[in-house]
Amino acid sequence: MNKNSKIYVAGHRGLVGSALVKKLLQKGYKNIIVKTHSELDLTQQQKVKEFFAKEKIEYVFLAAAKVGGILANNTYRADFIYENLQIQNNIIHQSYLNGVKKLLFLGSSCIYPKNAPQPINEESLLTSPLEYTNEPYAIAKIAGIKMCENYNLQYGTNFISVMPTNLYGPNDNFDLKTSHVLPALLRKIHEAKISGKKTVEIWGSGKPKREFLYSEDMADACVFIMENVNFQDLIKDKNEVKNTHINIGTGEDLTIKELADIIKKVVGFDGEFVFDTTKPDGTMQKLCDVAKLSNLGWRYKTSLKDGIKKVYKVFNEKR
Ligand code: GFB
């Protein structure tokens, strides 16, 4: 990838896509193409076909997806599987047909089995049943990994899949019904402080453990992989090529209760937490084994506390 290469960032308004555009510009990449949803509906095969035929794209970051927290995944189950399959099928297939040099497909650590051994190694993929609350999303993402892998095997493409842990950042979704836990708790705790409320409700038992990576570190890892890694580097056994995807995370996790305590300190709230156990916990732990990524030469930079402080600053500025 050189500074004039034509790079398409699909999903540039999202949490990772926006961080990716920022990172690419910072690094001097000049020829970045983006399209809003109203300019290009990625679920529409014909539109995506026309777009790729016209634009002669060289590199693709596939960060467009329908995403959300545990409640959104569990409620809009059909939308999560349909929209994600459509988007990734259209972009991956057109990237192959139009000779894209390299594509990075963004998945999620929820592709792994509910009871995978911790920390979760890439080899755990498809070894036992998934977590039910996000099964439709996970199935779509697994299809994307397998699509990239098998296009590489059959057609010699260079499509790489990365599986980030739970992400957070300045451009997050703060809608309490559809967001992930970190932005939800930040908002709830902030609003409780402002209105003088004494308690904040946390969904589930507070005991599940999660790993959190700052969106700008995620973007940095993606650009690092695009610049330095090829599919061929990821093959372990030429006779049975599988699990060529790469986990992206910090390798450290904490309970939801511990996360809430950190946010409480950052926000400066002195009330209590109440646990609503009628809401699902989801998977109890999904800590990524990041050895593969470390061996490739990448490590995260932003500590969880610093990342939360940055997000809270932007959150306050937008109010
Ligand atoms: O971040 P989250 O929605 O998604 O929830 P997952 C993580 C944990 O935080 C769950 C608890 O145990 C929630 O019950 N939690 C506590 C809350 N309070 C809240 C709250 O106010 N809002 C939210 N949203 N959660 C998603 C998957 O799983 O993670 C996706 O559904 C994807 O497919 C994504 O993989 C990264 O970590 O459980």
Side-chain angles (χ1 to χ4, degrees):
M1 195 160 69
N2 67 52
K3 303 297 180 210
N4 294 312
S5 300
K6 191 153 196 186
I7 304 167
Y8 172 44
V9 178
H12 72 287
R13 283 183 159 173
L15 178 63
V16 186
S18 56
L20 268 169
V21 172
K22 188 174 163 189
K23 174 61 65 183
L24 288 166
L25 290 172
Q26 266 172 8
K27 293 194 85 171
Y29 290 99
K30 296 182 182 72
N31 199 359
I32 302 166
I33 179 162
V34 295
K35 290 281 169 194
T36 62
H37 186 271
S38 57
E39 289 167 337
L40 176 63
D41 180 348
L42 293 169
T43 65
Q44 300 302 310
Q45 187 180 31
Q46 187 59 28
K47 299 274 180 228
V48 178
K49 186 177 172 185
E50 288 163 9
F51 168 70
F52 272 84
K54 180 168 168 249
E55 295 293 347
K56 309 279 177 273
I57 293 156
E58 293 173 273
Y59 294 88
V60 174
F61 288 90
L62 207 180
K66 181 169 183 68
V67 298
I70 192 165
L71 192 66
N73 268 265
N74 203 16
T75 309
Y76 307 109
R77 299 180 68 90
D79 301 345
F80 270 81
I81 191 163
Y82 171 74
E83 288 182 32
N84 284 306
L85 283 173
Q86 288 290 100
I87 293 169
Q88 66 202 41
N89 279 350
N90 289 338
I91 295 184
I92 295 169
H93 189 61
Q94 291 305 323
S95 293
Y96 150 61
L97 289 178
N98 290 279
V100 163
K101 291 179 184 158
K102 205 189 282 191
L103 173 147
L104 203 75
F105 171 66
L106 275 71
S108 159
S109 61
C110 71
I111 57 152
Y112 292 116
K114 181 184 176 78
N115 295 317
Q118 307 288 322
I120 312 175
N121 186 270
E122 286 85 354
E123 301 297 324
S124 286
L125 181 64
L126 293 174
T127 52
S128 61
L130 297 164
E131 154 64 27
Y132 185 74
T133 54
N134 59 34
E135 191 185 68
Y137 178 72
I139 296 271
K141 291 295 183 184
I142 293 169
I145 297 175
K146 289 297 166 190
M147 209 165 155
C148 289
E149 203 168 69
N150 290 298
Y151 273 58
N152 294 341
L153 293 177
Q154 186 177 343
Y155 297 127
T157 48
N158 194 5
F159 297 168
I160 297 174
S161 301
V162 292
M163 299 303 123
T165 186
N166 289 36
L167 302 170
Y168 70 101
N171 200 20
D172 220 329
N173 167 18
F174 289 90
D175 179 304
L176 295 181
K177 288 202 180 77
T178 55
S179 66
H180 289 99
V181 61
L182 194 154
L185 291 184
L186 192 73
R187 177 173 171 181
K188 287 200 254 187
I189 294 172
H190 169 82
E191 288 177 352
K193 179 187 149 184
I194 299 299
S195 64
K197 255 180 79 183
K198 290 282 164 264
T199 57
V200 166
E201 183 190 277
I202 296 184
W203 295 354
S205 64
K207 292 181 185 149
K209 293 183 106 177
R210 292 291 183 272
E211 175 188 6
F212 297 93
L213 179 70
Y214 191 56
S215 57
E216 294 185 7
D217 284 355
M218 174 62 189
D220 187 60
C222 289
V223 175
F224 170 84
I225 291 168
M226 193 64 120
E227 287 175 336
N228 297 294
V229 181
N230 291 309
F231 177 68
Q232 291 299 328
D233 307 332
L234 302 166
I235 298 175
K236 277 199 193 148
D237 177 357
K238 282 202 161 67
N239 298 314
E240 196 189 4
V241 175
K242 59 177 187 176
N243 303 331
T244 51
H245 56 285
I246 308 167
N247 289 344
I248 303 185
T250 63
E252 296 155 23
D253 63 1
L254 75 176
T255 65
I256 297 302
K257 165 78 171 64
E258 288 165 339
L259 172 73
D261 285 335
I262 296 179
I263 298 176
K264 181 174 162 174
K265 280 203 189 97
V266 170
V267 171
F269 171 64
D270 58 10
E272 300 298 321
F273 296 124
V274 177
F275 296 89
D276 177 0
T277 49
T278 64
K279 296 277 195 322
D281 271 338
T283 192
M284 289 311 285
Q285 192 181 18
K286 47 177 173 177
L287 177 63
C288 286
D289 179 342
V290 290
K292 194 192 259 190
L293 184 62
S294 306
N295 291 336
L296 289 167
W298 190 88
R299 192 181 188 280
Y300 80 101
K301 295 184 188 72
T302 313
S303 73
L304 181 57
K305 193 164 183 191
D306 285 350
I308 293 172
K309 281 184 187 163
K310 287 185 190 190
V311 177
Y312 190 47
K313 186 168 177 283
V314 176
F315 177 85
N316 273 319
E317 284 163 7
K318 283 187 183 164
R319 301 270 121 185

